[in-house]
Amino acid sequence: MEQLKPPSHLSFEGNLAENWKEWLQGFRLYLIASGIDEKAGKVKVAAFLHVAGVEARRIYNTLNSPEDDVEKLDVLIENFQKYVEPRKNLTYVRHIFFTRKQEIHETIDNYVTDLKNKAIQCEFGNLKDSMIRDRLVCGIANEACRARLLREADLSLKKCIDICRASEISEQQLKTLHKEPVTADAHTVSKEHKLRHNYDKQHHNSEHRKPKARVKSAPHTKNACGRCGREHDKGKCSAYNKLCYKCNNTGHYAKFCKTKSTVHSLEETEDLYLGIVSVDSVHEAPWTETVTINRIPVTFKLDTGAQANIIPRDVFNTLKISKNHLRSVNGNLITYNGHVMNPDGKIDIRCHIRNEKHTLPVYVTQKGSTPILSKETCARLGLVQHIPAESVDSEVCMSKDKLLQQYADVFSGLGKLSGTHHIEIDKSANPVVHPPRKVPAALLKPVQNELKRMEDLGVITKQDSPTDWVNSMVTVRKPGKIRICLDPKDLNPHIKREHYHLVTVEEIIERLPNAKVFSRFDATHGSWHIQLDQESSKALTFNIPFGRYRYLRLPFGITSASEVFSKRVQELFSDLPGV
């Protein structure tokens, strides 16, 4: 066992609670496998700190463990457990368990494993298996399998999992079988023959104006179809019952239409697509633009799905334009639902759009339609702009940098709310003066630097004159930094709170069902933005080995700090909807 490799260091990145569970399990196995578990507690504690890594040892130095427990591994693990795992909300943990459903393409085994892991935190006790079984029945994606499980009289967890696995396997096997070629039976052949007969009859009617020609039957094997242009099996043409936009008959696509056009023109011969012609809607106003033609304003709809500019016949007649200017066209206008419109003609109209002169090619159509500006015209005139996704990302980044540059004072330093706050202290309270607490030699320089930083920010200031209240200072060591806090354990009981209601997570969630866009407001150092008056500032004096300081801003740890800060913030944003 000399070559046994210990687990890697405890990772403090990501989900610390989950990292701790996995690491602790590996460490316990390592103790047993290496034989260290049989040695003295001091050796096991040393092994724990060595394997856990530098970050874990830094946290260990801040843990206030009794001296007689420093050689007990169980006590050390318990202290780390309290550090890495926050207070558990059992109601929320069970809510997560009861709302867990099987995801699309998630296997039964993965779903069951996740349910079992979540059930460990729910403290179900003897009901754990039955709870997992019930959640499995209610959360699986396969409705047929759920119905099968509900028919079972005495359904256990093991039996439930077995049935789900069997259903999953059989479903996969059925999908495989459906992919294999099958031989058509008599009913299938008869149905295909009938469908082919109807198709040929329709196609014959569509070509009654052509000289009769012999049409070869499509072979049973795949081949290019003369009606849809694709390769497919016999009787499976996608052009069945499809309208040909060229001859207005069914059974083939316009691209493969063999009927000669009876309309002659010197211009366009291509069909143009219209995304929409007329829609009655009360939900949303369409995008429109006023176009002035012969000093007559005409409202056009901006339609990015249209390939042509159109104007109805009745509107065209009011523009005092001679019909002799209309040019015939060899093409049709096709609406989104396949309806074919035969335009009266095409004309180039001189008009004014946003005080600028333009010449637009416009098709004159039948009555009842809506004046439309096509996608090409909207883009050319700058009425609609297409922005690629890459450009959007670039503009967002540019706007963010511009915003940070324009409001640099908001994103640097420490903010300050208007006005001052007064802390009400019970006048019958007896002031307490605490002696300074010792600062470890290794932390002396970092503490001095942090005090200097806080003084430069205007959070604290040196206090020379006597004060009634003198509190202690608490040093909290964080990864890569030092946090200095106040310890007002004797002052807090005598502070008169405002008892302002703090909004809970549940109350916030109730307002979010229809929310789609979220913004996060992060106030740096929170309550430090609130200034204190002179009397309150002196009451928050704290003692250190090399002098005294007092807070000029509202510190953390004061019993009323969270209420005061929440009240001020809500007063600032109360007039904004959605906050």
Side-chain angles (χ1 to χ4, degrees):
M1 305 302 289
E2 295 180 358
Q3 301 299 326
L4 182 65
K5 185 178 179 180
S8 57
H9 295 331
L10 175 60
S11 175
F12 288 84
E13 300 292 335
N15 191 331
L16 181 56
E18 293 296 329
N19 297 343
W20 163 255
K21 291 178 183 178
E22 295 178 359
W23 182 88
L24 183 60
Q25 183 181 20
F27 176 72
R28 291 187 185 277
L29 295 175
Y30 170 72
L31 287 184
I32 297 174
S34 63
I36 300 178
D37 191 51
E38 303 295 333
K39 296 183 180 181
K42 187 175 183 179
V43 177
K44 291 189 285 187
V45 170
F48 178 96
L49 296 175
H50 171 72
V51 176
V54 178
E55 292 295 331
R57 291 195 291 273
R58 290 176 179 173
I59 294 173
Y60 169 76
N61 294 333
T62 64
L63 298 177
N64 298 323
S65 301
E67 295 183 359
D68 55 343
D69 290 338
V70 295
E71 296 183 1
K72 295 182 180 180
L73 180 62
D74 294 339
V75 175
L76 179 59
I77 292 177
E78 182 180 357
N79 291 334
F80 265 86
Q81 189 84 14
K82 295 177 181 179
Y83 177 84
V84 301
E85 290 190 359
R87 184 179 300 175
K88 180 170 63 176
N89 188 331
L90 189 59
T91 303
Y92 177 75
V93 172
R94 290 182 176 179
H95 168 75
I96 296 297
F97 173 82
F98 288 128
T99 55
R100 174 67 165 92
K101 293 183 179 180
Q102 184 183 11
E103 302 291 341
I104 301 176
H105 306 307
E106 182 182 20
T107 63
I108 288 296
D109 290 332
N110 291 342
Y111 182 44
V112 172
T113 301
D114 191 44
L115 286 179
K116 290 182 177 180
N117 290 332
K118 284 181 168 54
I120 296 175
Q121 304 294 326
C122 295
E123 301 180 6
F124 288 138
N126 296 331
L127 298 176
K128 184 175 72 171
D129 287 352
S130 61
M131 290 294 183
I132 296 175
R133 176 204 61 195
D134 295 346
R135 188 60 243 162
L136 181 59
V137 174
C138 298
I140 58 175
N142 192 326
E143 293 290 344
C145 182
R146 181 183 293 109
R148 168 75 173 84
L149 295 173
L150 292 175
R151 289 195 296 267
E152 292 293 328
D154 52 345
L155 183 65
S156 63
L157 177 60
K158 182 178 182 305
K159 187 175 181 180
C160 180
I161 296 175
D162 292 340
I163 293 176
C164 291
R165 286 173 177 168
S167 176
E168 184 178 70
I169 294 174
S170 61
E171 184 178 1
Q172 294 175 354
Q173 292 174 346
L174 283 174
K175 290 181 180 180
T176 304
L177 291 175
H178 284 314
K179 294 180 181 179
E180 296 180 358
V182 294
T183 304
D185 54 16
H187 174 72
T188 305
V189 173
S190 176
K191 184 177 180 180
E192 179 180 305
H193 176 74
K194 183 177 180 180
L195 183 63
R196 183 69 183 182
H197 174 73
N198 294 337
Y199 175 79
D200 291 339
K201 183 178 179 180
Q202 294 173 355
H203 185 68
H204 173 74
N205 293 335
S206 67
E207 299 187 5
H208 65 282
R209 290 173 292 180
K210 290 181 54 178
K212 292 186 179 180
R214 185 179 183 87
V215 181
K216 295 183 179 180
S217 301
H220 289 278
T221 58
K222 290 185 177 181
N223 198 0
C225 177
R227 297 177 175 88
C228 68
R230 301 186 181 95
E231 294 183 357
H232 56 75
D233 294 330
K234 179 181 178 181
K236 295 184 179 181
C237 181
S238 59
Y240 282 148
N241 298 325
K242 296 296 183 180
L243 178 68
C244 174
Y245 301 144
K246 191 173 182 180
C247 65
N248 293 336
N249 292 310
T250 59
H252 59 277
Y253 293 131
K255 184 177 180 180
F256 302 97
C257 182
K258 300 178 181 179
T259 303
K260 294 183 179 180
S261 176
T262 58
V263 181
H264 300 279
S265 174
L266 299 178
E267 292 195 334
E268 294 86 357
T269 60
E270 182 181 1
D271 295 339
L272 298 177
Y273 178 77
L274 299 178
I276 185 169
V277 173
S278 178
V279 173
D280 295 329
S281 176
V282 297
H283 301 291
E284 182 178 356
W287 290 2
T288 59
E289 185 69 28
T290 300
V291 179
T292 304
I293 305 174
N294 284 347
R295 299 182 179 180
I296 300 176
V298 180
T299 301
F300 280 76
K301 181 177 180 180
L302 309 184
D303 191 350
T304 57
Q307 295 178 334
N309 305 317
I310 68 170
I311 189 169
R313 188 182 305 154
D314 52 349
V315 177
F316 178 78
N317 293 336
T318 63
L319 300 179
K320 301 177 182 179
I321 300 177
S322 175
K323 295 183 180 180
N324 296 330
H325 296 293
L326 288 177
R327 305 189 302 273
S328 61
V329 293
N330 184 20
N332 298 316
L333 300 177
I334 305 164
T335 64
Y336 72 103
N337 60 355
H339 177 66
V340 178
M341 301 175 61
N342 296 317
D344 295 347
K346 182 180 179 182
I347 186 173
D348 294 332
I349 297 180
R350 296 178 181 179
C351 58
H352 287 78
I353 302 177
R354 298 185 179 182
N355 298 325
E356 294 184 2
K357 295 182 180 180
H358 298 280
T359 301
L360 301 180
V362 179
Y363 290 82
V364 180
T365 61
Q366 59 189 354
K367 295 182 180 180
S369 59
T370 302
I372 288 178
L373 292 182
S374 67
K375 176 183 68 175
E376 188 273 335
T377 300
C378 292
R380 179 168 56 86
L381 301 182
L383 305 178
V384 176
Q385 183 180 7
H386 173 252
I387 304 177
E390 298 80 3
S391 301
V392 173
D393 296 338
S394 176
E395 290 184 6
V396 169
C397 296
M398 292 176 62
S399 61
K400 178 181 177 182
D401 295 338
K402 184 178 180 180
L403 183 68
L404 293 175
Q405 182 181 2
Q406 185 175 357
Y407 301 98
D409 58 321
V410 178
F411 300 98
S412 60
L414 184 63
K416 180 171 62 176
L417 298 178
S418 60
T420 59
H421 174 65
H422 175 70
I423 301 177
E424 284 287 344
I425 302 176
D426 188 359
K427 295 181 180 181
S428 62
N430 295 323
V432 178
V433 176
H434 285 271
R437 293 178 179 176
K438 293 183 179 180
V439 179
L443 300 180
L444 187 59
K445 189 63 176 176
V447 168
Q448 291 177 341
N449 294 336
E450 178 64 13
L451 289 172
K452 181 66 169 58
R453 187 185 74 87
M454 294 172 65
E455 188 175 5
D456 294 339
L457 289 174
V459 178
I460 60 175
T461 185
K462 290 183 179 181
Q463 178 64 25
D464 296 327
S465 60
T467 57
D468 294 333
W469 293 90
V470 179
N471 305 278
S472 298
M473 181 189 72
V474 179
T475 303
V476 181
R477 189 168 184 178
K478 296 288 185 179
K481 62 180 181 179
I482 293 292
R483 175 179 292 178
I484 293 178
C485 302
L486 193 70
D487 185 10
K489 63 179 181 179
D490 294 314
L491 178 63
N492 271 340
H494 304 290
I495 294 178
K496 296 181 179 181
R497 295 171 51 189
E498 298 184 9
H499 297 287
Y500 184 80
H501 174 66
L502 298 179
V503 182
T504 62
V505 176
E506 289 76 13
E507 292 175 336
I508 296 176
I509 292 176
E510 292 175 357
R511 309 173 188 172
L512 301 182
N514 298 323
K516 298 179 180 179
V517 181
F518 300 88
S519 299
R520 182 179 65 182
F521 172 76
D522 187 3
T524 305
H525 295 97
S527 59
W528 281 7
H529 293 254
I530 300 177
Q531 303 175 89
L532 296 172
D533 59 12
Q534 186 74 8
E535 183 180 352
S536 302
S537 176
K538 289 186 177 181
L540 300 181
T541 302
F542 60 94
N543 216 348
I544 56 177
F546 34 89
R548 287 183 301 154
Y549 289 85
R550 61 182 172 90
Y551 273 89
L552 300 175
R553 306 289 184 95
L554 186 63
F556 308 105
I558 297 297
T559 184
S560 61
S562 58
E563 300 171 355
V564 174
F565 178 71
S566 298
K567 179 181 178 181
R568 296 292 295 275
V569 170
Q570 292 194 31
E571 288 176 350
L572 285 174
F573 298 99
S574 59
D575 59 332
L576 299 179
V579 176

